[in-house]
Amino acid sequence: MKGLRLLSLLLWLCSLYYVGIYLFVGGFLLVRLEVNRTSTCGDVLQPGDELRDFCHEQPRFRRAVLLIIDALRVDFTRFDHKNVAALPFENKLPVLVEMVTLRPSHSRLYPFRADPPTTTMQRIKGFTTGSLPTFVDVGNNFASSAILEDNLIHQFGTAGKRVVFMGDDTWESLFPKRFHRSLPFPSFNVKDLHTVDNGILQHLYSTMVGDDWDVLVAHFLGVDHCGHRFGPDHPAMADKLTQMDGVIRSVIDRLQNDTLLVVMGDHGMTDSGDHGGESQKETDAALFLYSPSHLFPPQPSQVSKSEPTVVPQTDLVPTLALLLGVPIPYSNLGQVLLPLFPSHGHTVGAVRSLSQLEALWINAKQVNRFLETYSGIAKDIPPESLSQLKDQFSRLSSEYLTTVGGTQTPSPQLAASLQVYLASVRDTCRATWAKFNPLKMAAGLTILAFACLTCFTLSELSRLMIRENVSVLKTPIITALMVGVCVAAVQLLAQGYVEVSWCLAAATLSSELSFLWRTCQSRAITAAKNGSEALKCASWLTPSCLLVPHLLVTLLRCASLLSDSYVIAEGRAVTFLVLSLAICIPIRLNWDGLLSPPIHDPLKAAGLLPSSTLSPSAVRKESCTLLACLGLLVGSVYLSLSFHGCREEQGSCQSSPFLTPLARLQDNQLKNLHYVLSVCSLGLWTYLLRCYLRHYGNLNSSGGTVFTAQCILPMLSVCLGLYWAVSATPEESFRNLAELISLAQLVLPRTAFFLLGLGLLLIWINPLTVFVKTTIARGSSLPPPRYRASTGISPQAELRHLIPQIYQRMRHSLDDGELNKDNEVGSRPAVEAYGLGTVYSAPLLLFCGMLGTGLLLLHPEGMALSFLLMLLQMGALLHIHASSTTLSSLHGTHSGGFNVPWIPVVLWSLAATQFFHATGHLPTFPSIQWNAAFVGFPHGHTSNILPASLVTLNTFASHIMFAVGSPLLLFWPLVCEVRGSRGRVCGEEGEDAVMEMRLRENPQQFSSALLQLSTRYLFILGAQVFASVCAAAILRRHLMVWKVFAPKLMFEASGFLVSSFSVLIGVMLVLRVDVAVGRWFKRLVPDASR
């Protein structure tokens, strides 16, 4: 078997897709251009030409306390005394409503709206810089890099204000060495509700009564972590909100008159406790402002005119800057909160503060300065919009200067016009913020298109690629290297530096074109040599071959990715496609007359025509098997719909209750029922895997793979069951055993990880599951030796799955060895090899089973039933494919060889997407199951690599399972073959099912079939990525691009990376088994000959 050539072709093909994805994403998801300029105290923002040091004027407030309660959703702060049956998150923060009611001139409570993505790092950037986020920033949420743009923390430090921080360590990453004093606590462990909050409380009050601070920032995480772990509707949320109520009361009691208190949430949370998207529950947090001195004008009329209904988070930046007497950050796009400033001619308190009109003018002047600077650098704002904004500001500036220079009272329309201008600038920037790179996007699209064509070519000409004497990759690789070096040299000479992305683009495109050109040449040469055989091989690109149901289904699905409605309802749509394509198989077989035995032909009975080896009972049996497996497939598909999650756009949709971890369930009976179902599903998963291996005689040897199936797999399942029980135990129920439970939550999953790694390693090192039994037959009258690969020790199993004379070469060598003895009637060996018929599929199936058990550990307990349905559906698809192949072979209509048709490959790939949704996942960031990062690591991580890997394994579990198991599509028809189904005529002794040993007899066909299967699977995945890329490129200005199409692109691209890597693992495991089988035969022949 040409394993090295096969692997090199697959690696090269995957690299083509990787480069195309890299280039397109680099052009589509560019980070917003940052303006690295800083506001200074000497900026001329007031009318007149004289310089004015804004920072040395006495500010409205000397100090400020910022209490950030992570994920403080706005409805958490509401209080209704009539609500006697309050939910756990309701009526738990009465202090806010009390202050607003009893002291209206000292406090306000607003909805505080965040810009998506609603992740902590982006929100901190938003309310410290005043800028708008970009989509790609979401990827940096757990790898926070320092903020380089001008921000409030920098301005406070420049103005000499001492900033003390305590809480979420994300701030330390964003503002390194910016704090006068810092007390960061690890933030990524969402299961820890108390460490960060308790650490803050140990220092908060003592710091407040001291005099070594001007701005105090405290970022509490308990509410957010409680939401992630339990959801908002849980008693733990009530306890945490009650604790925050006490904290706010204690802080208010310690405030001085010159201090401003800001209590705010950075974002909200969904009903499941997650966040990251743009639903209203995720974007609407709370903002509470309070000061012991008068904060708001006492006149109700003044308040009502300027009172906002919702405060954007960016508006906090200019408001705090002007209230504390520091310049507004340079890149701010927020608008001052007018109720905090007196109207023209009025003052609040003893200190003369900026009026509403003055504050608006300073704000508008700063925003206009940023707009001019940014438009000069980026050139991405539409010229007509930019011209309108400039004219609008010029008119407002002239009107304001005239008003200030005169003695007349400013008109209310001027303030309103300034507000309209600020809103217009923000809307314009929001509409054109992402700076696309059309050239990179076009290069990525082109490379992906040619990669799909190359992949399809490889799949259809796999036999030609394997038969080539010269490496088919030699020319493409040499061409790519030469072109890449030439482009780099030209860049170095022309511009003095090298852009790696363009070198990759040129090299990859030239490699694809070189391969396609060489393929056309090879086909022409082969056609000249082999005639009709080559013409048959070359006819794969005709319309009649392309316009077939399976490819039409693939193209239809890819085209529908341009529809946001389809993407939103993808889970059910893919389920429909799986069922439709599966039902097409028996319909097509029945149309061709293959589901029933053929009618008796008297000519064949009379011997005038050659008789068929067809058995009517075999046809009926295979037909019944196919229909039964189709029924199992339909049942598992419909049951899998019970495990789907819901998107925000789906309205009244309710997420599956099985997605809720057992620890969140309050009903003990329901919790026990879910646990029993999960444990039973896990036990049945293990039982079915062992049953298959036992049935085909793969549990009789003493190798590492058998040890994994016999011992490690059951132990791994036990660890999972115990871990689920421990993690579902409420902490308050067994306080005496708290340390033991905590230890078990650490030890059990880590033990499971160890067993999983050990099992997979043993399978890889020693993949054979063959048991050899040698008997000695005496006397020359005995029949020739038989070399059998049976399925079990029992006689019944031997009769059913006997594989005689596996290798003709081995039989001849043994026979010759006996005949060469001088007149000896010696002993004649008979070799029985149990499990040899499934030597390839057994370790691969066990590998997938072990992998699935480990992936289940990263999911909520209720997903065990979904994983069981996945196993059943995989088995049903394999048996449907095997029965279809067998029926075609029995009727003599099979094309021959080991090639896997398109239909089962398309079904396999669709099933991977189907179970992506059936395991509770969605192509949205809020649906990511972050809890997977803490399985076995309840105390957090020291780096981001391991948690990112765990979350990736959790998210793409179905992709991994189906990609690694894809070679089973090649093996299963051989495992389930019926006697005579491959069109061979039985000899005198008859012919038993040889099963997977046929692959060893035809290594070249084996290699080409495995290459074809892998490339077909990669083609379907690559076509989906290409469709998502096209949707994102075409609809990049669509209203739903950042909500639907961009996340879908990211998930499709990530899924392809994971799936392609998993396909390579599956293929390498098959090659590893093939090497082990070859060595086994080399050892067996000499031993048996002696």
Side-chain angles (χ1 to χ4, degrees):
M1 185 175 180
K2 299 182 179 181
L4 184 60
R5 173 173 293 186
L6 192 154
L7 272 181
S8 61
L9 283 169
L10 292 179
L11 285 170
W12 173 75
L13 185 61
C14 290
S15 66
L16 302 181
Y17 281 107
Y18 297 161
V19 173
I21 292 172
Y22 166 74
L23 287 172
F24 183 85
V25 170
F28 180 71
L29 298 179
L30 285 179
V31 178
R32 172 182 57 84
L33 181 64
E34 295 182 350
V35 178
N36 294 322
R37 297 194 183 184
T38 305
S39 298
T40 63
C41 295
D43 290 338
V44 181
L45 297 178
Q46 289 283 15
D49 297 328
E50 73 282 358
L51 291 176
R52 180 183 177 189
D53 194 343
F54 180 77
C55 303
H56 283 79
E57 294 188 0
Q58 187 174 3
R60 172 87 175 274
F61 293 99
R62 188 173 65 90
R63 287 180 167 184
V65 176
L66 274 67
L67 298 184
I68 302 160
I69 302 177
D70 208 293
L72 182 64
R73 204 168 70 190
V74 64
D75 57 337
F76 292 0
T77 62
R78 294 170 184 152
F79 185 84
D80 182 7
H81 65 276
K82 297 179 181 179
N83 188 0
V84 294
L87 295 174
F89 59 85
E90 295 177 335
N91 291 358
K92 299 303 183 295
L93 287 169
V95 61
L96 304 181
V97 177
E98 288 176 10
M99 289 297 165
V100 172
T101 304
L102 299 177
R103 309 191 70 182
S105 62
H106 296 258
S107 56
R108 283 290 187 278
L109 179 62
Y110 298 109
F112 198 38
R113 184 157 295 168
D115 291 297
T118 48
T119 49
T120 297
M121 190 200 76
Q122 284 70 40
R123 296 301 85 241
I124 296 175
K125 283 186 175 181
F127 60 69
T128 56
T129 65
S131 61
L132 301 176
T134 54
F135 177 85
V136 75
D137 281 344
V138 73
N140 298 324
N141 192 43
F142 302 109
S144 308
S145 55
I147 294 178
L148 301 179
E149 280 187 301
D150 194 11
N151 56 80
L152 282 175
I153 304 300
H154 172 76
Q155 291 295 341
F156 289 150
T158 304
K161 293 185 179 295
R162 297 161 295 179
V163 183
V164 176
F165 167 76
M166 53 189 71
D168 184 353
D169 60 354
T170 303
W171 288 75
E172 192 66 32
S173 302
L174 294 175
F175 307 102
K177 300 180 181 179
R178 293 287 186 180
F179 299 112
H180 175 68
R181 187 154 51 92
S182 178
L183 297 168
F185 299 93
S187 61
F188 195 57
N189 185 5
V190 295
K191 290 192 174 183
D192 185 357
L193 309 185
H194 308 295
T195 298
V196 176
D197 293 0
N198 292 341
I200 294 174
L201 295 179
Q202 289 177 4
H203 303 89
L204 177 62
Y205 305 132
S206 59
T207 301
M208 287 189 65
V209 298
D211 196 36
D212 63 339
W213 64 278
D214 297 299
V215 178
L216 175 59
V217 181
H219 192 149
F220 294 89
L221 288 176
V223 173
D224 178 68
H225 286 188
C226 184
H228 283 297
R229 184 174 180 184
F230 301 113
D233 193 9
H234 191 276
M237 182 62 78
D239 296 339
K240 186 52 65 176
L241 290 174
T242 301
Q243 182 190 28
M244 292 298 101
D245 183 80
V247 170
I248 296 172
R249 291 180 187 275
S250 300
V251 170
I252 288 176
D253 293 339
R254 291 170 171 81
L255 289 177
Q256 299 178 6
N257 289 335
D258 61 350
T259 306
L260 172 67
L261 171 64
V262 180
V263 180
M264 55 182 285
D266 57 342
H267 51 75
M269 66 172 66
T270 62
D271 291 334
S272 62
D274 299 315
H275 57 88
E278 54 182 311
S279 66
Q280 189 169 350
K281 289 185 177 180
E282 294 170 274
T283 58
D284 281 7
L287 173 66
F288 174 73
L289 302 170
Y290 175 83
S291 177
S293 61
H294 284 281
L295 185 59
F296 296 91
Q299 294 88 346
S301 60
Q302 297 180 29
V303 174
S304 60
K305 291 179 181 178
S306 58
E307 197 74 29
T309 56
V310 175
V311 176
Q313 275 192 359
T314 52
D315 290 0
L316 184 66
V317 175
T319 304
L320 283 180
L322 296 184
L323 289 176
L324 293 172
V326 298
I328 300 175
Y330 197 95
S331 300
N332 164 72
L333 288 175
Q335 182 181 142
V336 290
L337 190 56
L338 285 188
L340 287 163
F341 299 89
S343 60
H344 189 74
H346 295 81
T347 59
V348 178
V351 178
R352 192 269 175 192
S353 58
L354 294 171
S355 67
Q356 292 183 356
L357 190 58
E358 291 173 332
L360 278 173
W361 168 253
I362 294 174
N363 192 182
K365 189 79 178 291
Q366 169 266 318
V367 169
N368 179 71
R369 180 186 59 186
F370 165 75
L371 184 65
E372 291 179 349
T373 304
Y374 181 80
S375 62
I377 298 174
K379 307 292 185 182
D380 58 350
I381 299 178
E384 59 275 9
S385 299
L386 189 61
S387 177
Q388 290 177 4
L389 291 173
K390 288 183 177 180
D391 292 343
Q392 187 177 359
F393 179 78
S394 177
R395 187 172 57 255
L396 291 172
S397 176
S398 176
E399 184 179 351
Y400 179 80
L401 293 176
T402 302
T403 300
V404 172
T407 57
Q408 58 182 354
T409 304
S411 64
Q413 288 76 15
L414 179 57
S417 299
L418 286 170
Q419 287 181 290
V420 171
Y421 168 75
L422 290 170
S424 300
V425 173
R426 177 159 51 188
D427 292 342
T428 301
C429 289
R430 192 190 303 276
T432 60
W433 204 250
K435 182 179 178 294
F436 299 114
N437 189 327
L439 289 178
K440 276 192 176 181
M441 292 169 62
L445 274 168
T446 305
I447 289 174
L448 283 174
F450 277 104
C452 290
L453 180 60
T454 303
C455 190
F456 191 82
T457 304
L458 266 175
S459 70
E460 298 304 314
L461 303 178
S462 58
R463 185 175 299 182
L464 180 64
M465 299 301 161
I466 294 297
R467 283 191 307 192
E468 284 281 347
N469 295 325
V470 182
S471 175
V472 294
L473 291 181
K474 183 177 180 180
T475 302
I477 291 177
I478 293 176
T479 304
L481 290 175
M482 293 176 60
V483 171
V485 170
C486 290
V487 171
V490 170
Q491 287 182 339
L492 196 60
L493 293 174
Q495 56 193 24
Y497 61 92
V498 175
E499 291 187 62
V500 178
S501 57
W502 290 116
C503 297
L504 282 175
T508 305
L509 188 59
S510 62
S511 181
E512 291 172 335
L513 294 175
S514 173
F515 174 81
L516 293 173
W517 174 75
R518 191 182 186 285
T519 302
C520 292
Q521 278 192 328
S522 299
R523 283 174 52 204
I525 295 173
T526 306
K529 290 182 178 179
N530 301 330
S532 60
E533 181 182 354
L535 291 175
K536 182 180 178 181
C537 183
S539 63
W540 55 269
L541 205 53
T542 60
S544 60
C545 294
L546 295 178
L547 298 179
V548 287
H550 44 274
L551 288 183
L552 286 177
V553 167
T554 305
L555 293 174
L556 178 63
R557 178 166 187 267
C558 293
S560 61
L561 289 175
L562 291 163
S563 166
D564 58 333
S565 300
Y566 173 84
V567 176
I568 291 170
E570 185 185 33
R572 292 186 175 274
V574 171
T575 300
F576 169 78
L577 291 177
V578 169
L579 289 177
S580 301
L581 196 56
I583 292 173
C584 284
I585 295 177
I587 293 176
R588 179 181 60 81
L589 290 173
N590 187 62
W591 181 270
D592 295 337
L594 303 182
L595 277 183
S596 57
I599 301 174
H600 177 71
D601 192 342
L603 294 178
K604 290 183 179 181
L608 299 178
L609 291 177
S611 61
S612 172
T613 60
L614 181 67
S615 168
S617 60
V619 174
R620 283 191 291 269
K621 178 182 177 182
E622 288 302 315
S623 300
C624 292
T625 301
L626 187 148
L627 296 177
C629 290
L630 183 63
L632 176 62
L633 174 67
V634 172
S636 62
V637 164
Y638 274 106
L639 285 176
S640 69
L641 294 173
S642 304
F643 299 90
H644 282 213
C646 291
R647 295 177 64 115
E648 174 221 342
E649 300 89 347
Q650 291 177 302
S652 59
C653 173
Q654 295 292 327
S655 295
S656 170
F658 292 98
L659 290 172
T660 305
L662 294 180
R664 292 190 183 184
L665 297 178
Q666 300 301 302
D667 189 339
N668 288 330
Q669 290 185 348
L670 184 61
K671 181 185 291 187
N672 293 335
L673 177 61
H674 279 206
Y675 179 74
V676 170
L677 283 175
S678 301
V679 172
C680 291
S681 300
L682 179 61
L684 191 56
W685 169 284
T686 306
Y687 174 76
L688 290 175
L689 290 172
R690 285 166 55 86
C691 272
Y692 167 84
L693 297 174
R694 184 182 298 109
H695 175 72
Y696 286 102
N698 297 112
L699 296 183
N700 298 315
S701 66
S702 57
T705 302
V706 176
F707 177 76
T708 299
Q710 294 279 30
C711 301
I712 296 181
L713 180 59
M715 291 170 61
L716 180 60
S717 301
V718 170
C719 284
L720 257 69
L722 293 176
Y723 173 68
W724 291 342
V726 170
S727 61
T729 304
E731 296 178 357
E732 61 275 7
S733 301
F734 301 92
R735 296 191 182 277
N736 295 333
L737 301 176
E739 293 185 2
L740 181 61
I741 292 175
S742 178
L743 180 63
Q745 290 179 344
L746 179 71
V747 172
L748 286 173
R750 292 192 179 185
T751 302
F753 287 141
F754 171 76
L755 291 174
L756 174 64
L758 178 62
L760 297 180
L761 183 63
L762 289 176
I763 294 173
W764 193 273
I765 293 175
N766 187 8
L768 290 186
T769 56
V770 180
F771 175 72
V772 180
K773 183 173 71 175
T774 304
T775 58
I776 303 298
R778 301 209 177 258
S780 59
S781 61
L782 294 177
R786 298 172 63 87
Y787 308 99
R788 307 184 297 180
S790 182
T791 62
I793 299 298
S794 64
Q796 293 83 0
E798 287 190 21
L799 291 175
R800 289 176 56 194
H801 298 284
L802 188 65
I803 303 181
Q805 300 173 345
I806 301 169
Y807 250 134
Q808 296 296 330
R809 189 187 314 171
M810 178 168 56
R811 185 185 67 176
H812 293 325
S813 66
L814 294 178
D815 289 345
D816 294 341
E818 291 295 327
L819 293 174
N820 288 336
K821 293 185 178 180
D822 296 332
N823 299 324
E824 272 187 55
V825 183
S827 301
R828 302 178 66 91
V831 180
E832 297 177 359
Y834 298 92
L836 195 58
T838 53
V839 67
Y840 292 101
S841 58
L844 181 60
L845 185 65
L846 181 60
F847 192 90
C848 291
M850 289 288 295
L851 199 57
T853 309
L855 294 172
L856 177 58
L857 177 63
L858 303 176
H859 283 75
E861 301 87 343
M863 289 297 102
L865 186 55
S866 178
F867 270 69
L868 178 62
L869 292 174
M870 185 195 301
L871 181 66
L872 294 176
Q873 185 165 328
M874 291 175 75
L877 288 173
L878 290 171
H879 276 286
I880 290 172
H881 166 48
S883 297
S884 174
T885 303
T886 301
L887 287 170
S888 299
S889 300
L890 289 173
H891 286 78
T893 60
H894 189 262
S895 59
F898 307 113
N899 296 341
V900 180
W902 275 102
I903 288 184
V905 181
V906 174
L907 277 172
W908 201 255
S909 64
L910 289 176
T913 304
Q914 174 209 341
F915 272 97
F916 171 79
H917 292 270
T919 49
H921 298 290
L922 294 166
T924 61
F925 292 105
S927 68
I928 296 177
Q929 299 173 8
W930 299 109
N931 288 337
F934 304 100
V935 176
F937 302 90
H939 304 301
H941 302 269
T942 57
S943 69
N944 295 312
I945 298 176
L946 182 57
S949 302
L950 294 175
V951 171
T952 301
L953 291 173
N954 166 275
T955 304
F956 300 105
S958 64
H959 295 72
I960 295 171
M961 289 288 294
F962 281 91
V964 172
S966 58
L968 291 173
L969 292 170
L970 172 61
F971 302 136
W972 218 259
L974 300 173
V975 172
C976 302
E977 73 175 356
V978 177
R979 173 175 171 155
S981 64
R982 290 281 164 173
R984 298 188 181 185
V985 180
C986 298
E988 295 179 359
E989 300 180 12
E991 183 196 355
D992 293 299
V994 180
M995 301 167 73
E996 293 175 7
M997 279 298 98
R998 296 193 188 280
L999 300 171
R1000 289 290 304 176
E1001 297 174 359
N1002 302 278
Q1004 193 169 3
Q1005 289 188 23
F1006 186 11
S1007 300
S1008 64
L1010 188 58
L1011 175 62
Q1012 184 184 67
L1013 172 62
S1014 303
T1015 50
R1016 284 182 172 180
Y1017 192 76
L1018 289 175
F1019 169 76
I1020 297 169
L1021 298 178
Q1024 294 174 183
V1025 174
F1026 179 71
S1028 297
V1029 164
C1030 289
I1034 296 171
L1035 303 173
R1036 61 186 181 276
R1037 297 299 182 189
H1038 192 276
L1039 178 65
M1040 305 293 285
V1041 62
W1042 302 116
K1043 192 172 186 178
V1044 175
F1045 297 110
K1048 179 60 179 172
L1049 167 63
M1050 298 299 291
F1051 275 83
E1052 281 291 344
S1054 302
F1056 179 85
L1057 296 178
V1058 174
S1059 297
S1060 59
F1061 182 73
S1062 301
V1063 166
L1064 292 174
I1065 291 177
V1067 171
M1068 286 191 292
L1069 180 59
V1070 173
L1071 298 179
R1072 175 72 186 92
V1073 176
D1074 189 67
V1075 171
V1077 171
R1079 292 175 179 173
W1080 180 81
F1081 274 116
K1082 287 180 181 179
R1083 291 195 305 267
L1084 184 64
V1085 171
D1087 291 343
S1089 300
R1090 284 193 292 267

